[in-house]
Amino acid sequence: LQEFCDSQSKTQYGNYNSSGIPPEDDELFEFHSSVVENQYIIKFYKYIITEYRAAILNAILSQFTGNSFWEVERRDNPARDFPSDFDVLRLLHPSSVVNNRILSALKSHNDIRSVS
């Protein structure tokens, strides 16, 4: 596996599928990744329906800011109609101090396993 990195993004080239097993045909793939500012994966302790996850996040976040300063990324795939154990949250508040307080509140909530 060849790897090319710089400080902001990563490009990898290889010939292995997602299970780590080389495919029968020698396929080559390329993908890029980069850090997205102020975007976090919120993992819950169990699988929860969308409406309940939204209510949990709203209860935590409404004490800091109005609804215009955060959003949950919409998932456009067939699994969006089923319970999930995570959401991707984007904080839009201009203050890093407020964002740090929000992250602390999320991390200490009983229904949230982790914030990364």
Side-chain angles (χ1 to χ4, degrees):
L1 181 70
Q2 283 181 293
E3 192 171 323
F4 302 97
C5 296
D6 63 30
S7 62
Q8 293 296 318
S9 65
K10 181 191 285 187
T11 302
Q12 293 184 337
Y13 301 89
N15 61 354
Y16 290 86
N17 59 27
S18 62
S19 65
I21 301 170
E24 290 182 20
D25 298 335
D26 194 21
E27 298 174 10
L28 185 64
F29 62 87
E30 176 181 350
F31 67 93
H32 304 273
S33 66
S34 60
V35 174
V36 179
E37 293 295 322
N38 294 327
Q39 189 166 312
Y40 303 92
I41 299 171
I42 310 300
K43 289 201 63 163
F44 298 90
Y45 277 105
K46 57 186 176 180
Y47 286 81
I48 305 170
I49 61 172
T50 303
E51 294 80 12
Y52 188 62
R53 292 192 321 271
I56 292 169
L57 293 176
N58 189 49
I60 297 167
L61 297 171
S62 64
Q63 63 185 317
F64 294 98
T65 64
N67 288 345
S68 61
F69 289 113
W70 61 274
E71 62 186 20
V72 174
E73 290 290 314
R74 177 173 157 76
R75 290 185 236 169
D76 292 322
N77 61 43
R80 72 177 171 260
D81 297 327
F82 296 98
S84 176
D85 66 343
F86 77 95
D87 273 320
V88 177
L89 177 71
R90 181 175 299 163
L91 298 179
L92 306 171
H93 199 281
S95 168
S96 62
V97 172
V98 172
N99 287 342
N100 287 336
R101 289 181 186 156
I102 290 170
L103 293 174
S104 292
L106 288 165
K107 290 175 183 177
S108 65
H109 194 275
N110 292 337
D111 289 320
I112 295 177
R113 178 186 303 260
S114 66
V115 177
S116 57

